[in-house]
Amino acid sequence: MASDYPLYIDGEWVKTDETLEVLNKYTQETYVNVSKASENDVDQAIAAAESAYKNDALSPYDRYEILKRVSELLMERKEEIADIITIEAGKPLKQARNEVDRAAQTIEISAEEAKRISGEGIPVEAAPGSENRMAFTIRVPVGVVGAISPFNFPINLVTHKVGPAIASGNAVVLKPASNTPVSSLKLAELFHEAGLPKGLLNVVVGSGSTVGNQMMQDSRIRLYTFTGSTEIGLKLKQDTGLNKLILELGNNSPVIIDEEADIKAAAKNTAAKSFAFAGQTCISVQRIYVHEAVQQEFQDYFIQAVKELKVGDPADPQTDVGPMISEEEAKRAESWIQEAKDSGAEVIYGGTRKGSVLEPTVLTGATEEMKVVCEEVFAPIVTLLPFSDIKQCIDEVNASPYGLQGGIFTQNIDTAFYAAKKVEVGGFMVNDASQYRVDLMPYGGVKNSGWGKEGPKYSIEEMTEERLIVMNLNK
Ligand code: NAP
């Protein structure tokens, strides 16, 4: 089978014999075939990255200019790239367009950060016997960055890895998700066009168990930046020894609706943020804890807002909820609904599946041990859970092994601050749902949700080492 998209290694487009079929996730028809990387291709990509890093061809200003150009190119090709995302990920077009806007911003922020990487003065002369010394630190790149990305944001989560890595003088070997490799190859095209020297970005396509695994075993890679499931993140942490790591993992986001909230606004907000990209975002609302005093009112407004969501073909610009990444995943989600029903939960909206499209589904009467509550559902399913006491509610929120982002709706400042201090997460929203992210902010979870932060400024801290320089002065 001919390959429509070759790999990108050492500044060259490399066609291979073996290909990977990428499906249109809505129609399930073949979209394109992409070259698959062999062991030798991965080895070449890592060697090219190491050599390009050592070559140290770009000044910080050069990196700024290249990244700025890539950001512009992303905006110029916005429609083309949004269409790719819609087809290969099944993401509704309006959300795909938004993702391209955000990717352009992520790269632009990375460009700006390239000019701000600095160390600090260290007052060593204050130590007795060191009076004639002066010291400062500089930040140096780690070398080769191994980036492994998930399917759900095929361009923006890739720019969160490639942008900061290039901005800070590293070289990258990128393995995109097998479901969505085309967006990454497009991004490589833009870097090529923007004049990135060869070897600084390499894209190798292939399964996690082959290409991903090989990358994990290669000691030339000095830092791994991984976004994906907690299961694979844990494996990466165990397998990569003392190497540096950034892990952005799963979550089952909680949102609290306090009795003193603007209930109608809260319902509208959480409904939109529970089902975007069919619930397949890591900060999608999953558990909604509603104060019993406002439970019925919230539920009525919430269902009303869910009914307004348009479900179906992701290529239709009006669609809010499209297919899941595969029929298999939609069936898995459906079986979790069934398990909850069998154990006493009630489906008060949705619950039906057609192929890979699962209707937005709302459950009540679920308990903590049901999968739809305690695990990451990663599907268009939310559960409404009643509470009467905020302290007890937060204990239930924190019973989750995850802790990426959460939120509370309340007009009471004391309740807001109390929750912000007590809920165990990396980011907490007041009067907004868990699903809030702009690309300059520090982003990353606690507990099983991750290790290290993303956001260009924060990734650059992880992707550089602090080096101390001490001057022994004679005068
Ligand atoms: P996934 O199955 O863990 O895959 C993520 C990446 O890891 C893919 O490129 C995958 O390759 C690769 N991989 C799989 N097995 C591997 C192995 N043994 N060694 C090395 N790499 C391996 O996750 P996903 O289904 O694509 O994405 C959904 C998950 O990502 C959810 O849990 C979600 O919460 C999480 N996520 C977290 C964040 C965050 O910022 N915290 C953001 C987005 C998504 P293949 O595609 O070839 O299998």
Side-chain angles (χ1 to χ4, degrees), residues 1-50:
M1 199 176 286
S3 154
D4 305 309
Y5 277 92
L7 307 173
Y8 186 63
I9 299 173
D10 204 13
E12 304 283 334
W13 295 101
V14 179
K15 278 203 175 195
T16 63
D17 297 335
E18 255 202 282
T19 58
L20 178 85
E21 184 188 28
V22 181
L23 298 180
N24 175 321
K25 299 305 181 297
Y26 186 61
T27 63
Q28 293 295 310
E29 285 159 8
T30 302
Y31 166 40
V32 290
N33 293 294
V34 174
S35 285
K36 240 189 195 176
S38 66
E39 210 176 311
N40 186 46
D41 295 321
V42 177
D43 182 62
Q44 299 269 306
I46 300 172
E50 190 179 44

Side-chain angles (χ1 to χ4, degrees), residues 148-153 157 175-179 206-209 212-213 216 226-230 232 235-236 248-251 281-282 376 378 404 437 443 449:
I148 301 180
S149 58
F151 76 81
N152 64 341
F153 284 85
L157 289 183
K175 189 210 98 58
S178 299
N179 264 313
S207 76
S209 55
N213 211 41
M216 281 197 211
F226 172 84
T227 303
S229 59
T230 297
I232 307 295
K235 179 172 159 40
L236 196 62
E248 302 293 343
L249 310 177
N251 192 34
T281 78
C282 47
E376 179 182 37
F378 220 59
L404 184 50
R437 184 177 187 186
Y443 183 82
S449 288

Side-chain angles (χ1 to χ4, degrees), residues 209-411:
S209 55
T210 55
V211 173
N213 211 41
Q214 188 183 342
M215 284 170 66
M216 281 197 211
Q217 311 302 327
D218 198 305
S219 60
R220 291 170 293 180
I221 294 181
R222 306 303 311 194
L223 177 143
Y224 293 91
T225 167
F226 172 84
T227 303
S229 59
T230 297
E231 183 197 346
I232 307 295
L234 182 63
K235 179 172 159 40
L236 196 62
K237 189 152 190 312
Q238 286 163 343
D239 286 5
T240 55
L242 293 175
N243 281 18
K244 294 186 91 181
L245 270 182
I246 308 173
L247 296 177
E248 302 293 343
L249 310 177
N251 192 34
N252 58 358
S253 302
V255 172
I256 302 169
I257 314 295
D258 181 46
E259 59 183 324
E260 293 181 70
D262 176 341
I263 302 300
K264 191 173 179 184
K268 225 176 151 190
N269 180 313
T270 45
K273 293 181 171 194
S274 297
F275 302 111
F277 193 31
Q280 300 168 117
T281 78
C282 47
I283 43 178
S284 188
V285 177
Q286 179 175 335
R287 299 175 286 154
I288 308 182
Y289 293 85
V290 190
H291 195 285
E292 13 181 74
V294 293
Q295 196 185 347
Q296 194 58 51
E297 186 188 358
F298 177 83
Q299 186 173 309
D300 293 346
Y301 280 131
F302 188 78
I303 298 295
Q304 195 182 316
V306 178
K307 279 184 183 157
E308 284 166 19
L309 298 173
K310 187 165 191 285
V311 182
D313 183 354
D316 176 345
Q318 304 305 319
T319 296
D320 299 295
V321 183
M324 290 184 61
I325 194 66
S326 65
E327 187 164 350
E328 200 187 341
E329 267 298 287
K331 283 184 179 161
R332 188 265 311 156
E334 195 181 30
S335 76
W336 287 24
I337 298 171
Q338 192 56 47
E339 183 219 54
K341 275 165 67 179
D342 292 346
S343 313
E346 190 189 344
V347 175
I348 59 165
Y349 189 83
T352 54
R353 179 184 66 78
K354 202 168 151 204
S356 55
V357 180
L358 180 66
E359 249 190 311
T361 301
V362 185
L363 296 169
T364 56
T367 49
E368 252 182 56
E369 61 286 350
M370 294 179 191
K371 279 188 185 146
V372 289
V373 178
C374 67
E375 294 192 19
E376 179 182 37
V377 75
F378 220 59
I381 304 172
V382 288
T383 303
L384 306 184
L385 300 144
F387 76 92
S388 55
D389 172 64
I390 188 73
K391 284 190 180 147
Q392 209 177 329
C393 169
I394 290 174
D395 284 346
E396 281 176 38
V397 164
N398 289 341
S400 166
Y402 298 108
L404 184 50
Q405 288 197 167
I408 188 167
F409 286 85
T410 184
Q411 300 297 319

Side-chain angles (χ1 to χ4, degrees), residues 102-116:
R102 285 186 54 194
Q105 283 171 31
T106 305
I107 293 286
E108 186 181 46
I109 300 160
S110 301
E112 288 159 358
E113 291 297 336
K115 295 191 286 187
R116 294 187 194 132

